[in-house]
Amino acid sequence: MTIVLGCIADDFTGATDLAGLLARSGVRVSLRIGVPDAPPTDAAAFEVIALKCRTSPVAEAVAETRKALAWLKGAGATRFFWKYCSTFDSTPQGNIGPVAEALMRDIGTGQTIYCPAFPENGRAIFMGNLFVGEQPLAESPMKDHPLTPMRDSNLMRLLAPQVTGKVGLVNRLIVAQGPEAVRARLAQLQGEGVAHVIVDAVADADLYTIAQGCQHLPLLTGGSAIAMPLPQLYANGATAAKPATQPRPTTAKAVVLSGSASAMTRAQVAHYTASRPHFRLDPLDLAQNGPAAALDWLATQDLSQAPLLYATAEPAQVAEVQRKLGRAKAGEIVEQALARLAVAARDLGAARIVVAGGETSGAVTQALAVTRLDIGREIAPGVPWTFATSAGQPIALALKSGNFGTPSFFDDALTALEPA
Ligand code: ADP
């Protein structure tokens, strides 16, 4: 099977989000954690490489993504996708722009698009401005993000300091005219020396128009949603679904781990704790005594009840802990505790693991030493079940980024694995 599209994602939940949307079309999607050491021998039509480089130093992010690109090229890919967050999480230094420019150089293309729109999750772009629901990005909760606070809503202004080339726009009025108009405007911008083109999109139909209008570009960049039309467009139905390579777990024993403090995760934890066994992790106690108490509690649990262990707390509580421990240390302690609990749960027989939090998902996946995931049924837009092997055991993992899903997400996730 030759690769139809090679994708690089800047974080783990973003990678499963992208893989899930690609898989909607029925094509086989394979997700690798990090750049594989071995050259590709068993590439799927749609390959996604998950990196953890959203907030790493620019040079590191560029080096990592170039390595991923080289692997995908080695597997035969000629079309590529650079996936970042639908809220354009970045700083004036990067990493969205510098990575895109490095990939463009390596691929040998003079123009690419930037389309973080994800209409199903309320992310829309109009006249170059990004909206989260009805709020401009800079007025949404993203303005207070701990690592990448977004204080401007205009994508052209956000991108310009990150790149050396010129930035331009294909606006919604042009997108509304159809794929040919998009292509013509891109050509016009190219004539004016514009390499980096923001493209407006407010609804799924726009994404299909844009994908068609950009079919000549070997590199596209954006959130996951703009990749959704690509399987149909590129593969032309030729790559039918293939049997999965990862075995499915046979036990329903499960655990839910939450290290996200985002508003939606807080609602999900409140919903789940009303009816399920749960244990709250106290970061200050973890800092002093380690996760022994949580591990002991877990060992007494009936895993068929899918117990929840969570550090999720209100912003004021998180701020208090961060004041005492330091922001990075607090995050690290919680992530490492949840990673250890994931391993312990697996060793106790849990084969279904639901994780809330992007960074948390990275820590858990690394601790489980998972290297490749197959993509299964979508639980909520952008959150599929995935299947992997950990310590020789088949496991199912659901990795949810903080703000995705509805309040019943954890129950929805477990129900989604039951036979229909
Ligand atoms: P999200 O996807 O919601 O951003 P992440 O897992 O990416 O979630 O990030 C949340 C960060 O907050 C993690 O580093 C986690 O360890 C940390 N964290 C979670 N709960 C607490 C808490 N109660 N106190 C301090 N830090 C916390």
Side-chain angles (χ1 to χ4, degrees):
M1 173 68 64
T2 44
I3 293 198
V4 174
L5 183 70
C7 307
I8 306 168
D10 71 349
D11 85 340
F12 287 27
T13 46
T16 55
D17 167 9
L18 170 64
L21 293 203
L22 289 169
R24 278 186 187 177
S25 59
V27 294
R28 170 145 176 250
V29 183
S30 164
L31 199 166
R32 323 252 176 180
I33 304 296
V35 184
D37 294 328
T41 50
D42 55 350
F46 290 78
E47 282 284 344
V48 180
I49 296 183
L51 301 179
K52 198 170 182 294
C53 65
R54 180 166 297 168
T55 55
S56 39
V58 175
E60 256 174 52
V62 165
E64 274 277 282
T65 44
R66 290 186 66 206
K67 202 170 135 202
L69 179 76
W71 188 91
L72 292 165
K73 276 182 163 178
T78 53
R79 291 178 179 278
F80 305 92
F81 189 76
W82 164 226
K83 154 77 175 77
Y84 39 81
C85 193
S86 60
T87 43
F88 212 70
D89 299 15
S90 55
T91 69
Q93 287 72 47
N95 290 333
I96 294 173
V99 166
E101 277 195 327
L103 296 177
M104 286 167 79
R105 268 194 303 275
D106 285 0
I107 293 165
T109 181
Q111 194 178 53
T112 192
I113 63 153
Y114 298 75
C115 187
F118 194 162
E120 275 178 85
N121 278 334
R123 275 64 155 163
I125 312 166
F126 185 67
M127 296 300 161
N129 293 283
L130 181 59
F131 291 82
V132 177
E134 294 183 349
Q135 292 175 310
L137 176 65
E139 293 170 35
S140 78
M142 281 306 296
K143 70 183 188 308
D144 299 318
H145 191 278
L147 303 173
T148 50
M150 303 308 289
R151 299 283 163 84
D152 194 342
S153 307
N154 185 286
L155 292 171
M156 287 164 298
R157 278 199 301 263
L158 287 166
L159 182 61
Q162 300 185 31
V163 290
T164 57
K166 275 210 237 173
V167 176
L169 174 70
V170 174
N171 73 33
R172 177 72 187 11
L173 304 181
I174 292 167
V175 173
Q177 291 169 28
E180 279 314 314
V182 169
R183 194 189 307 265
R185 176 72 177 140
L186 286 171
Q188 186 192 0
L189 287 168
Q190 180 131 43
E192 295 166 13
V194 175
H196 307 282
V197 186
I198 308 292
V199 186
D200 277 356
V202 299
D204 279 353
D206 295 336
L207 303 175
Y208 286 82
T209 301
I210 295 163
Q212 278 179 288
C214 293
Q215 236 180 317
H216 61 295
L217 296 176
L219 172 70
L220 302 182
T221 89
S224 54
I226 186 65
M228 203 164 43
L230 302 183
Q232 212 182 358
L233 215 54
Y234 294 168
N236 207 14
T239 46
K242 282 266 152 73
T245 56
Q246 302 283 351
R248 300 295 191 255
T250 50
T251 163
K253 288 183 179 175
V255 69
V256 181
L257 303 168
S258 177
S260 156
S262 294
M264 183 49 76
T265 307
R266 296 203 303 275
Q268 289 160 346
V269 167
H271 185 275
Y272 198 76
T273 51
S275 62
R276 299 275 193 157
H278 53 94
F279 184 98
R280 193 177 74 80
L281 297 166
D282 173 0
L284 297 177
D285 183 50
L286 287 176
Q288 264 194 330
N289 305 312
L295 288 163
D296 289 348
W297 181 83
L298 180 64
T300 65
Q301 292 305 300
D302 173 4
L303 294 179
S304 62
Q305 295 300 308
L308 163 71
L309 295 112
Y310 65 102
T312 306
E314 294 300 313
Q317 291 170 283
V318 174
E320 173 71 12
V321 166
Q322 288 179 336
R323 247 194 318 278
K324 291 190 172 139
L325 296 177
R327 178 178 304 232
K329 175 104 186 292
E332 173 75 10
I333 285 171
V334 170
E335 286 173 36
Q336 286 318 312
L338 288 166
R340 268 197 65 187
L341 287 160
V343 171
R346 178 202 65 197
D347 294 343
L348 289 165
R352 301 172 173 190
I353 303 183
V354 181
V355 189
E359 292 300 316
T360 309
S361 293
V364 165
T365 313
Q366 278 166 346
L368 292 172
V370 163
T371 56
R372 188 171 184 186
L373 302 169
D374 280 341
I375 305 303
R377 183 184 295 193
E378 217 175 346
I379 306 156
V383 200
W385 270 108
T386 66
F387 301 98
T389 305
S390 175
Q393 298 298 318
I395 56 163
L397 280 171
L399 308 176
K400 186 196 80 79
S401 112
N403 283 313
F404 281 7
T406 61
S408 60
F409 177 84
F410 298 142
D411 281 315
D412 298 346
L414 298 167
T415 311
L417 275 188
E418 302 308 328

